[in-house]
Amino acid sequence: MVRAPSHPALADGAHPFPHDHLLGIAALKPWEIAFLLDEAEQWVDLNRAGAAKHDGRLAGLTQINAFFENSTRTLLSFEIAGKRLGADVVNLGVSGSSVKKGETLLDTATTLNAMRPDVIVIRHAASGAVQLISEKVDCPVLNAGDGRHEHPTQALLDALTIRRRKGRIAGLKVAICGDILHSRVARSNFLLLAGQGAEVRAVAPPTLLPESVEALGVTAFTDMDEGLDGADVVMMLRLQTERMAGAYVPSTREYFHFHGLTEARLARAAPDVLVMHPGPMNRGVEIDGAIADDIARSAVTEQVEMGVAVRMACLDVLTRRRRGIAGWA
Ligand code: ASP
């Protein structure tokens, strides 16, 4: 039987999340991930009860959300998460930033730092940009998606959704399907789910499957029916055309025919399959809209809900040292 990783006994004075920043899943141990998921659980119930907004643990702290690439779910949920914890949240969007005026990334980082924020959340189109910024500022940095590299809070919210719906992650067959080549969501999920003991599959047409994908601990499939066979969880990805130079698929119609999630294809998966999508969805391209809307099988809206809880947990944990919380010095 595959077991979920458990935390080793902590040495005196150590705490369960010894990181200054949240830059990617790759830097985290399986039990550190399990710790963040456990922390997020409490916020799910409080958010549902409408009580979380009374928690002022981040009161007096300034949170900057600097998003140099478009976002709906991630930006809004980081803003709501910060506000529910009592932080003063300010948003910088790409259209309003000096990046458009030619400012370098390092100058932008120095500028943000000069305002003495207590935590910065960054999304950037370049892989590695968030790490670079984290090296130039004096506060915790959370990666809200950098290029094709990582999107750690998305993987955490996906894991929380799976864990709540299925009661476990270890031993589940998870098929991640679609434009894997351009997807930071796929990369972070491969690392997280494989590390938690799931049997992870990367399912994509050959043009959208990175050559080295199996090094991330997953099995590659180019045939959608084979990839879905017996899957407990099916996660669909969007064709990320904004990151494509040239054509990777003949047409979206043909793509849907061979790689879209249809009712017939989903019948290959386990009878109690859970369908997921990080959004934004393109109905009729990678997923049949009726499947996405079927709340018995689809967790798409729940993923958004879990996003707020996970981001509250991450903001809380990463600012503990700064807030002088006992045991986190
Ligand atoms: N919202 C996700 C991301 O930021 C997935 C996507 O855009 O397709 O990577």
Side-chain angles (χ1 to χ4, degrees):
M1 190 186 129
V2 194
R3 289 188 182 283
S6 58
H7 201 293
L10 285 173
D12 273 357
H15 52 75
F17 196 81
H19 301 274
D20 293 333
H21 309 287
L22 179 65
L23 300 176
I25 297 297
L28 304 183
K29 305 268 192 305
W31 53 85
E32 292 165 357
I33 289 166
F35 169 73
L36 289 178
L37 298 180
D38 291 345
E39 287 287 314
E41 286 284 358
Q42 60 177 313
W43 300 117
V44 177
D45 295 335
L46 284 166
N47 283 337
R48 284 186 180 167
K53 58 183 172 295
H54 303 302
D55 188 288
R57 68 182 67 189
L58 262 59
L61 265 55
T62 301
Q63 173 186 333
I64 297 181
N65 296 330
F67 276 57
F68 302 108
E69 208 188 36
N70 291 338
S71 172
T72 305
R73 280 154 286 269
T74 309
L75 175 59
L76 277 182
S77 66
F78 263 117
E79 179 169 2
I80 291 170
K83 286 183 170 163
R84 290 210 174 136
L85 294 171
D88 295 318
V89 186
V90 283
N91 295 331
L92 171 68
V94 66
S95 53
S97 76
S98 292
V99 171
K100 285 257 186 249
K101 299 181 187 169
E103 186 172 78
T104 68
L105 189 58
L106 293 184
D107 285 340
T108 304
T110 312
T111 304
L112 295 179
N113 197 47
M115 296 183 199
R116 302 197 172 276
D118 297 288
V119 58
I120 307 180
V121 181
I122 302 171
R123 166 167 288 191
H124 201 283
S127 305
V130 180
Q131 159 137 20
L132 198 64
I133 295 176
S134 75
E135 288 163 9
K136 302 287 166 199
V137 300
D138 304 314
C139 68
V141 169
L142 284 82
N143 181 2
D146 63 325
R148 307 176 186 190
H149 178 228
E150 281 234 37
H151 193 351
T153 56
Q154 177 72 47
L156 287 164
L157 74 88
D158 290 335
L160 185 63
T161 307
I162 294 172
R163 205 174 76 163
R164 288 174 63 92
R165 280 277 192 123
K166 296 282 180 193
R168 69 195 164 110
I169 294 174
L172 292 178
K173 295 184 178 66
V174 183
I176 303 184
C177 316
D179 183 0
I180 287 169
L181 184 65
H182 300 102
S183 178
R184 53 196 176 206
V185 174
R187 202 181 146 74
S188 291
N189 263 304
F190 290 156
L191 293 164
L192 189 158
L193 295 170
Q196 298 290 316
E199 186 192 301
V200 188
R201 304 169 182 177
V203 189
T207 49
L208 295 173
L209 196 61
E211 263 176 40
S212 54
V213 72
E214 298 206 325
L216 298 173
V218 307
T219 312
F221 290 83
T222 52
D223 182 276
M224 185 78 173
D225 288 335
E226 283 174 24
L228 292 191
D229 197 38
D232 299 297
V233 178
V234 175
M235 189 184 295
M236 299 307 300
L237 301 169
R238 178 178 68 93
L239 285 175
Q240 288 149 102
T241 45
E242 74 276 23
R243 294 199 192 103
M244 294 181 187
Y248 283 76
V249 294
S251 69
T252 50
R253 215 177 129 167
E254 188 166 334
Y255 182 78
F256 184 65
H257 182 69
F258 288 106
H259 291 275
L261 189 63
T262 58
E263 206 55 70
R265 209 157 257 148
L266 195 56
R268 307 280 301 232
D272 60 346
V273 65
L274 184 66
V275 176
M276 302 176 73
H277 194 305
M281 278 189 291
N282 288 142
R283 292 164 183 260
V285 179
E286 72 272 7
I287 189 165
D288 180 338
I291 296 176
D293 294 336
D294 174 4
I295 53 166
R297 287 180 298 181
S298 162
V300 174
T301 316
E302 207 171 312
Q303 286 172 267
V304 178
E305 184 188 2
M306 294 307 123
V308 177
V310 154
R311 288 164 182 137
M312 288 174 82
C314 293
L315 288 167
D316 171 28
V317 168
L318 282 154
T319 56
R320 281 185 193 173
R321 188 172 312 154
R322 205 170 183 85
R323 289 184 282 133
I325 303 296
W328 287 75

